[in-house]
Amino acid sequence: ADGEAITAEMVPELANQSFPLCMRNMQDTLKGSKHLKHEGRQQYSLFLKGIGLSVEEAIAFWRKSFSSITDDKFNKEYRYNIRHNYGLEGSRKNYTPKSCTAIITGPMPGPGQAHGCPFRHHSEQALTSLLHSTLGGTLANSDLKEILAATKSGHYHVACTRVFELQHAKLPGGASVPKGEGLGGGDSVDHPNRYFDASRKVIRE
Ligand code: SF4
């Protein structure tokens, strides 16, 4: 979306560097189970389209990720949907990536599903472990408490913005994360793709 040419192979590394928790969770699940259920595929595929993955790269990405199924099954069951998300099949609608509000108020993830917003939909325990794997050593106990408190009072965007700040604090351009700049909605995260764009901006500085 911002000029960087994104290929299928770059996605795991970009997920580590620049994806918000909701999309990292999806990438982790995809890596672990070599599959994502329908809602998750929709949420993740439109996000990836938003970061600049072309339809060819998207097909390559999903084909590689669903490594335990045959080409035949992949082509029959998944290729159409990916192309559909790019407006190349069916009603040819140009689908846009979901905003935080759409994700937070959307369908609750059931067992085995990875879509949604971890701040809204994860248990405290699952959220804590996702925070640890995302932030590693940069997550102090006081930060964790602050993030969990914001989450408990329903201020998911505040919690997500705090994660953004911590994730980028150690980068040269991240000493003062551009508050309000690129993140949208004033000072806080309101769209996973804005999170990504703001992150790339900090990383390039
Ligand atoms: Fe994703 Fe938005 Fe939730 Fe952050 S607040 S994890 S960007 S849905």
Side-chain angles (χ1 to χ4, degrees):
D2 56 1
E4 225 174 344
I6 309 280
T7 64
E9 274 157 36
M10 288 160 71
V11 172
E13 180 61 19
L14 287 171
N16 274 335
Q17 292 178 345
S18 298
F19 284 12
L21 245 50
C22 51
M23 303 304 170
R24 282 184 65 102
N25 182 47
M26 219 97 67
Q27 181 60 31
D28 289 352
T29 304
L30 192 51
K31 193 178 169 213
S33 58
K34 320 220 176 303
H35 190 73
L36 267 188
K37 294 190 187 229
H38 180 76
E39 282 293 337
R41 287 201 305 277
Q42 284 303 103
Q43 183 179 324
Y44 198 30
S45 151
L46 291 175
F47 168 79
L48 292 174
K49 177 185 168 189
I51 72 169
L53 207 66
S54 67
V55 67
E56 292 79 20
E57 289 298 322
I59 289 171
F61 171 77
W62 289 100
R63 179 64 200 103
K64 205 172 166 213
S65 302
F66 284 15
S67 56
S68 55
I69 62 168
T70 62
D71 279 340
D72 194 41
K73 186 173 161 74
F74 180 81
N75 288 336
K76 275 192 191 133
E77 293 179 24
Y78 303 107
R79 183 182 287 263
Y80 180 92
N81 248 306
I82 298 164
R83 290 177 46 83
H84 192 262
N85 281 344
Y86 279 78
L88 298 171
E89 302 280 3
S91 56
R92 298 187 175 249
K93 213 177 136 213
N94 187 22
Y95 295 93
T96 49
K98 289 188 183 186
S99 67
C100 294
T101 304
I103 293 170
I104 287 166
T105 60
M108 282 281 286
Q113 292 186 310
H115 65 271
C117 169
F119 298 106
R120 167 69 182 88
H121 298 119
H122 270 27
S123 66
E124 189 170 301
Q125 196 188 7
L127 177 60
T128 301
S129 95
L130 187 57
L131 287 166
H132 277 298
S133 73
T134 301
L135 297 167
T138 53
L139 182 66
N141 242 331
S142 52
D143 296 326
L144 178 62
K145 275 197 191 136
E146 191 189 325
I147 292 166
L148 294 178
T151 303
K152 261 200 190 134
S153 35
H155 298 137
Y156 312 123
H157 58 293
V158 173
C160 192
T161 303
R162 189 73 193 111
V163 172
F164 182 95
E165 289 168 357
L166 293 169
Q167 198 180 10
H168 298 85
K170 290 218 167 131
L171 297 166
S176 60
V177 171
K179 281 218 177 201
E181 201 191 320
L183 278 171
D187 274 342
S188 57
V189 178
D190 68 353
H191 200 295
N193 287 91
R194 285 218 189 90
Y195 188 114
F196 176 82
D197 290 343
S199 172
R200 299 321 288 166
K201 205 171 158 210
V202 172
I203 286 169
R204 277 196 305 264
E205 262 165 22

